[in-house]
């Protein structure tokens, strides 16, 4: 895929998410609202919208305020197909006005993986907060789990995309 195609898909995804900036409880006139509860996700790096110093921080209510999407998929981690629900990664990146091409995603245990921003638009990646309609505890790979819709395309059923599906997500650095 050419760089021009990747850039165009990324812009389309980001433009489609602009209505998110008006989501109640998510933004204020100055940018992102302050979280009212425990911070579960911190985003920094090349972002245009911040709410705490040079970072954008989110509590679960802020994640829930984004448009929610679901899909059911078979994964290497569960013995049957499961339903994942949460905002699209593209929507989350748009909410912070991400300007980079790579997401360095870090888990609670400090596992880090590089996810191309282009994956967000090209594959409909979500940041799942629900598993089979229930919140995910840390012991169940939660509270946030970056997941690809593996059953939607044969190419997604590979180690490349399984490795990018980071659970217990706590931080994203955009570069």
């Amino acid at each position: 895929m050419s760089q021009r195609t990747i850039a165009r898909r990324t812009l389309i995804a980001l433009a489609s998410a602009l209505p998110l900036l008006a989501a109640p409880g998510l933004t204020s006139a100055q940018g992102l609202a302050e979280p009212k509860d425990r911070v579960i996700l911190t985003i920094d790096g090349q972002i245009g919208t911040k709410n705490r110093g040079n970072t954008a921080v989110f509590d679960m209510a802020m994640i829930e305020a984004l448009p929610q999407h679901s899909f059911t998929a078979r994964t290497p981690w569960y013995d049957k197909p499961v339903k994942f629900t949460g905002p699209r990664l593209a929507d989350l990146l748009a909410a912070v006005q991400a300007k980079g091409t790579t997401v360095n995603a870090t888990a609670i245990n400090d596992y880090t993986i590089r996810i191309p921003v282009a994956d967000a638009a090209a594959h409909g990646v979500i940041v799942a907060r629900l598993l089979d309609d229930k919140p995910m505890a840390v012991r169940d790979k939660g509270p946030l789990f970056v997941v690809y819709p593996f059953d939607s395309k044969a190419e997604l059923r590979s180690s490349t995309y399984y490795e990018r599906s980071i659970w217990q997500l706590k931080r994203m650095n955009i570069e």
Side-chain angles (χ1 to χ4, degrees):
M1 189 179 314
S2 73
Q3 289 287 40
R4 180 175 281 183
T5 302
I6 292 170
R8 183 178 34 209
R9 286 185 177 178
T10 301
L11 286 174
I12 289 168
L14 293 176
S16 69
L18 285 178
L20 296 173
L21 297 177
L26 187 61
T27 61
S28 67
Q30 298 79 30
L32 237 57
E34 271 290 318
K36 293 179 175 51
D37 204 356
R38 182 177 62 90
V39 171
I40 60 163
L41 180 63
T42 301
I43 304 175
D44 61 12
Q46 294 183 40
I47 61 174
T49 302
K50 303 163 186 158
N51 61 356
R52 189 170 289 168
N54 288 326
T55 66
V57 293
F58 292 81
D59 61 15
M60 189 58 81
M62 294 168 73
I63 299 291
E64 291 169 354
L66 293 164
Q68 302 294 295
H69 302 273
S70 298
F71 57 74
T72 299
R74 290 170 299 206
T75 75
W77 311 288
Y78 302 100
D79 58 2
K80 63 180 180 157
V82 293
K83 179 182 175 186
F84 296 98
T85 303
R88 287 194 174 122
L89 177 59
D91 293 343
L92 191 55
L93 295 174
V96 298
Q97 298 178 348
K99 297 174 178 73
T101 58
T102 304
V103 175
N104 292 305
T106 304
I108 292 169
N109 67 357
D110 291 328
Y111 171 80
T112 299
I113 190 71
R114 295 172 62 83
I115 302 170
V117 168
D119 278 10
H123 302 301
V125 179
I126 67 171
V127 179
R129 62 180 190 81
L130 300 177
L131 178 68
D132 288 335
D133 298 320
K134 296 182 179 100
M136 291 182 284
V138 171
R139 71 178 174 276
D140 299 322
K141 300 185 178 10
L144 299 176
F145 188 169
V146 175
V147 185
Y148 287 71
F150 301 114
D151 292 349
S152 69
K153 301 174 191 171
E155 70 184 85
L156 296 178
R157 292 186 294 276
S158 72
S159 61
T160 297
Y161 298 101
Y162 293 143
E163 289 170 8
R164 292 177 185 170
S165 293
I166 183 171
W167 57 77
Q168 298 175 337
L169 178 70
K170 72 171 182 181
R171 177 177 288 282
M172 294 192 297
N173 173 268
I174 313 301
E175 62 178 37

